[in-house]
Amino acid sequence: MPKAYEEIADELRRAIRNGELKPGARLPSEAELARYHGRSIPTVQNALRLLSAEGLIDKRHGTGTFVRRPRTRAIRDNERHQWEKDRARMPEATRAQTGATERETGLVIDDLVFFARYRELTAPSDLADAFGVPEGTVLLQRTYRTRHTAERAPFSLVTSYLVRALIAANPELLDETNEPWPGGTQNQLHTVGIEVDRVEERLTARPPTPEEARELDLPAGTSVILLRKTSYDIHDRIVDITTVTLPGDRTELLFTTRLERW
């Protein structure tokens, strides 16, 4: 037999999924729900906690409980890197028409708000070892956030590292005001004669930190997917290390492996 709070949650869940309670709609108060269902307020609170953990509702302090608006989903596949490389040598007008975020979400550039921040830092031991450079080598750290204009949370939290000396020949690559850069990192590297040969991606998952949960606006109980991307050039040098934190409730990872025919 379902518990009383599960029955209340089931009824509210059905109302949300069949459209009786639309995205953004305010739910009745806890007291009103308790009276309607003939149950106690703690029982109603347990039902609402369950729906909140499922990402169906948001409780806003002082204003009430609302049906959560569906987030834009992103599908990240392993063919994106060849797609980016194919575009790296295209004319700027072509590169400016669309980027990886638009490709993964189906949005257009006018739907997006983009933020970039650059800063220089000396390589700590872990990054120095990864790049194969002496500790203290100057790196360019680039932080990116892109979100839908209708949403407050970004699609992901992105931090990229480049060895400054490898890109310094093009001063435009050191200036964050040139972002968003048409063609992304592969085109940026192409401007200083670097061709990416392969991309290695490692994926793990864990609960979010409080800061990640807040910035990504994650429902309670939602994990994050951690992606570490390492790009190698045709001389087998590591030329870019990027860490990406993806929200587990609205990111799909799609891997297509093309097999050699007999």
Side-chain angles (χ1 to χ4, degrees), residues 142-160:
R142 308 180 302 169
T143 301
Y144 298 111
R145 302 288 186 269
T146 305
R147 65 173 177 84
H148 192 309
T149 54
E151 299 173 6
R152 60 187 179 184
F155 296 109
S156 59
L157 312 178
V158 182
T159 304
S160 166

Side-chain angles (χ1 to χ4, degrees), residues 83 177 196:
W83 180 82
T177 64
V196 174

Side-chain angles (χ1 to χ4, degrees), residues 1-10 37-40 43-44 46-47:
M1 279 289 291
K3 296 180 179 178
Y5 77 90
E6 293 174 329
E7 292 177 348
I8 297 171
D10 285 343
H37 290 280
R39 300 292 183 178
S40 68
T43 299
V44 168
N46 285 337

Side-chain angles (χ1 to χ4, degrees), residues 73-78 104 201 203-204 225-227 246 250-256:
R73 294 188 63 82
I75 301 176
R76 184 184 180 105
D77 64 44
N78 58 323
E104 293 175 354
E201 293 182 303
L203 298 166
T204 56
I225 304 165
L226 306 178
L227 184 153
L246 299 158
R250 51 193 183 272
T251 302
E252 179 180 340
L253 301 174
L254 173 64
F255 300 100
T256 301

